[in-house]
Amino acid sequence: MSDTGNQSCLRGAENMVSFLVCLFHELEEWAGLGQVEDYLSVLEYLLWVFTPLVIVFIVPFLIVILLYLSILFLHVYKRKNQLREAYCNNLWDGARKTLATLWDGHGAIWHGYEIHGMEKIPDKGPALIVYYHGAIPVDYYYFLANVIIQKGRTCHSVADHFLFKIPGCPCPVGLCSHPGRGQESDQRCVSGFKLLLEVFSVIHGPQEECVRALRNGHLLGISPGGVREALFSDETYPLLWGKRKGFAQVAIDSQVPVIPMFTQNVREGFRSLGTLRFFRWVYERFRLPVAPVYGGFPVKFRTFLGDPIPYDPNMNAAELAEKVQQAIQSLIDKHQKIPGNILRALLERFHTKHKDHLQ
């Protein structure tokens, strides 16, 4: 309404009600309130468009929250059992089994998690488990939980160095003990992620330490692709191992069998933006795994364990590494539809058939 029109409206008001109505319209135009409804409509549309995008980036953080809740549980468990520590040789067994039950329940509910070939994991004695690394290896967490529940043993794991630098919660001096030494305790503080890693026997991967774990009769899990495979692999499931053969040398030095492992639809559960050039440059330049991960989709997860590759004294590390890579690629070819599709993986929750049954 123009200024002339406003003045005419005010002069032409016959009574107080007409005057107030006219004044309200004048104030509405002056303040721009007539456009508020349009603004709200735009905001409502933007909220409708971006809500799914926000959700798929938030869900991965729920996994991190679950990890920190696991840490919190371990701290509570540790304090509750301070008086019993001197009398208990397996202080952390109860904690491991409780957390394994929680993670197994999460896998069953959210992903309908199945594991095929569990009988190939020995009840006793060492073995090296080599697996494909998803954007977030939540499938490997479910596998570890099943090993604890079904086999009654802990599978040691090799993790990237950066995982040991994740900050955790401080621990009061005098309340810390090494989770793997029974009645023995020391004064160094085992807290935060370090506590979680030590309770579940996670190591940062020197070959000597891996060999030592296997020679002591433990299971050991490792992904040769590691962080690089997690960030830069995609829905076509390429194995990004490069020329890595250290894991094969560990198996040879320890004289243990190698068990290949792959989880169907693991890339449909979580995906990484690491294929974008910027994030790849950051990783190659600074070794910082900062590529955003999105997803948390409740797709069907099935873990397949291949036939063990026995120790062969006539095979060198390069040959064994190639044989293991072929075994995992065979599992991918047999059980994963390429390229992976999130909608198809979601629909697989509603029927029991999959690409091929492991005999």
Side-chain angles (χ1 to χ4, degrees):
M1 182 182 295
S2 65
D3 293 339
T4 303
N6 291 338
Q7 294 174 1
S8 300
C9 175
L10 293 174
R11 287 196 301 266
E14 299 178 354
N15 52 45
M16 183 59 67
V17 174
S18 299
F19 177 80
L20 291 176
V21 170
C22 185
L23 180 63
F24 174 78
H25 284 299
E26 182 181 357
L27 291 174
E28 182 182 44
E29 182 176 348
W30 176 78
L33 296 177
Q35 301 177 6
V36 171
E37 185 176 352
D38 294 334
Y39 293 151
L40 292 176
S41 298
V42 173
L43 290 176
E44 183 179 3
Y45 173 75
L46 292 176
L47 183 64
W48 177 80
V49 170
F50 287 104
T51 295
L53 183 63
V54 171
I55 290 175
V56 298
F57 278 98
I58 289 178
V59 170
F61 287 100
L62 298 180
I63 297 297
V64 177
I65 292 173
L66 189 57
L67 289 172
Y68 272 101
L69 288 176
S70 299
I71 295 168
L72 177 62
F73 170 80
L74 292 174
H75 279 289
V76 173
Y77 188 91
K78 177 172 59 179
R79 284 181 173 240
K80 181 180 179 181
N81 289 275
Q82 285 179 44
L83 297 176
R84 298 170 52 189
E85 185 173 357
Y87 306 95
C88 183
N89 292 324
N90 297 303
L91 174 65
W92 298 101
D93 279 356
R96 291 191 194 95
K97 291 179 181 178
T98 302
L99 287 177
T101 302
L102 291 174
W103 279 96
D104 183 58
H106 179 273
I109 294 171
W110 195 248
H111 293 290
Y113 182 72
E114 300 174 7
I115 185 165
H116 299 263
M118 195 64 176
E119 68 280 357
K120 297 172 184 178
I121 301 295
D123 295 329
K124 295 181 180 180
L128 181 65
I129 295 119
V130 179
Y131 62 95
Y132 171 84
H133 203 303
I136 293 181
V138 65
D139 61 309
Y140 183 67
Y141 305 157
Y142 301 150
F143 166 74
L144 294 179
N146 275 268
V147 170
I148 293 173
I149 295 171
Q150 297 186 36
K151 297 291 183 177
R153 56 186 311 194
T154 301
C155 178
H156 292 221
S157 304
V158 177
D160 194 88
H161 287 78
F162 90 90
L163 200 61
F164 293 82
K165 300 177 182 179
I166 296 178
C169 305
C171 175
V173 176
L175 296 180
C176 298
S177 65
H178 194 291
R181 295 181 181 174
Q183 296 181 358
E184 298 179 12
S185 62
D186 52 29
Q187 296 301 315
R188 60 194 183 89
C189 184
V190 181
S191 61
F193 254 86
K194 188 173 182 181
L195 174 63
L196 182 67
L197 297 177
E198 291 205 20
V199 167
F200 285 91
S201 303
V202 180
I203 59 179
H204 60 82
Q207 289 189 20
E208 298 78 10
E209 194 170 352
C210 294
V211 171
R212 186 182 307 113
L214 290 168
R215 287 180 176 174
N216 288 335
H218 298 295
L219 299 171
L220 180 66
I222 184 171
S223 173
V227 174
R228 182 179 298 276
E229 192 167 83
L231 296 180
F232 307 130
S233 187
D234 56 28
E235 63 273 17
T236 62
Y237 290 84
L239 296 174
L240 304 182
W241 293 11
K243 297 181 179 180
R244 294 182 179 179
K245 56 184 180 181
F247 71 95
Q249 190 61 55
V250 166
I252 291 172
D253 293 342
S254 307
Q255 301 183 9
V256 299
V258 179
I259 303 175
M261 186 174 82
F262 169 74
T263 298
Q264 183 186 65
N265 297 326
V266 67
R267 281 279 162 186
E268 281 57 71
F270 293 91
R271 288 189 174 177
S272 167
L273 296 181
T275 52
L276 298 181
R277 183 177 300 179
F278 171 76
F279 297 115
R280 182 133 196 175
W281 176 83
V282 171
Y283 179 77
E284 300 294 354
R285 180 67 177 83
F286 303 104
R287 284 296 183 267
L288 293 176
V290 295
V293 173
Y294 66 96
F297 305 111
V299 300
K300 184 67 177 182
F301 276 178
R302 296 185 181 93
T303 292
F304 296 94
L305 293 160
D307 294 328
I309 301 173
Y311 166 68
D312 184 350
N314 299 318
M315 187 178 297
N316 60 37
E319 293 170 339
L320 179 58
E322 178 65 23
K323 188 170 184 177
V324 175
Q325 186 169 359
Q326 290 176 357
I328 294 183
Q329 186 61 56
S330 178
L331 290 175
I332 295 174
D333 295 340
K334 186 175 183 181
H335 301 292
Q336 182 65 52
K337 292 182 179 179
I338 304 294
N341 181 280
I342 295 174
L343 178 59
R344 182 176 62 233
L346 285 169
L347 294 176
E348 289 179 9
R349 292 292 304 273
F350 301 100
H351 59 85
T352 57
K353 294 181 180 180
H354 50 276
K355 183 178 176 182
D356 196 357
H357 290 272
L358 192 64
Q359 298 299 327

